[in-house]
Amino acid sequence: MAESPVGTIRPDIHSMIRVNQAGEYGAAQIYKGQLAVMGDHAPDSGAIHHMAEQEQVHLDAFDKMIAERGVRPTVLQPFWKVAGYALGATTATMGPRAAMACTAAVETEIDAHYQEQLEALETENEPELSKMIAKFREEELEHKETAIAAGAEDAPGYPILSAAIRLGCRVAIGLSKRV
């Protein structure tokens, strides 16, 4: 096991860091895809830019933690780059509400994922990771609220679109923990 500033890192902590870095990477790609289609003059482009900037901060923090702690990133990163961008571009092509539906669905799963991690970290001596996850979870919830306020639930086919994206997120989380 690798040494960290707080002692030996358990494999489940490695998994948390790896999956969180992969998720933030995928989220950054989703917003890149959305902005590539919608441009800077779409009604929600300001909100999307803001969320993209926050996701980049999250990604940079997990990239740093991966390097400092010697955690192996997921080998699926090239796939998440393409899949995230394609998801963002596709939902943006469907319209601003569908783009926001994508954000609402993704953030619903990320909220549950981060909450599960915070509960698991209650018995660990990982104050830096716990604090980071708690802060990022709050920002992800803000993204979800922004998306809902922008009409995410009014997107055509919202229940099906949301369910499909949420399922994809759960699959991505499961794979990125291990691979």
Side-chain angles (χ1 to χ4, degrees), residues 100-101 103-105 108 142-154 158:
M100 288 298 176
T103 294
T108 296
E142 288 173 18
H143 298 174
K144 179 181 174 182
E145 291 169 11
T146 297
I148 300 285
E153 294 171 326
D154 297 327
Y158 175 76

Side-chain angles (χ1 to χ4, degrees), residues 32-49:
K32 283 180 184 177
Q34 288 179 344
L35 289 168
V37 170
M38 295 173 69
D40 289 337
H41 304 293
D44 297 314
S45 67
I48 293 171
H49 274 290

Side-chain angles (χ1 to χ4, degrees), residues 35-102:
L35 289 168
V37 170
M38 295 173 69
D40 289 337
H41 304 293
D44 297 314
S45 67
I48 293 171
H49 274 290
H50 175 71
M51 292 185 285
E53 289 167 5
Q54 285 185 315
E55 298 295 356
Q56 189 61 52
V57 169
H58 300 177
L59 175 58
D60 291 345
F62 280 116
D63 281 347
K64 181 179 178 197
M65 190 171 274
I66 274 186
E68 289 175 350
R69 295 184 181 212
V71 175
R72 175 190 56 77
T74 179
V75 298
L76 297 171
Q77 194 141 333
F79 179 74
W80 298 149
K81 179 177 184 174
V82 173
Y85 189 92
L87 177 59
T90 300
T91 55
T93 299
M94 295 168 64
R97 288 186 177 137
M100 288 298 176
C102 176

Side-chain angles (χ1 to χ4, degrees), residues 8-24:
T8 303
I9 300 177
R10 295 179 17 181
D12 56 332
I13 300 299
H14 273 253
S15 177
M16 282 183 191
I17 295 168
R18 176 177 25 267
V19 71
N20 292 351
Q21 188 273 346
E24 298 298 350

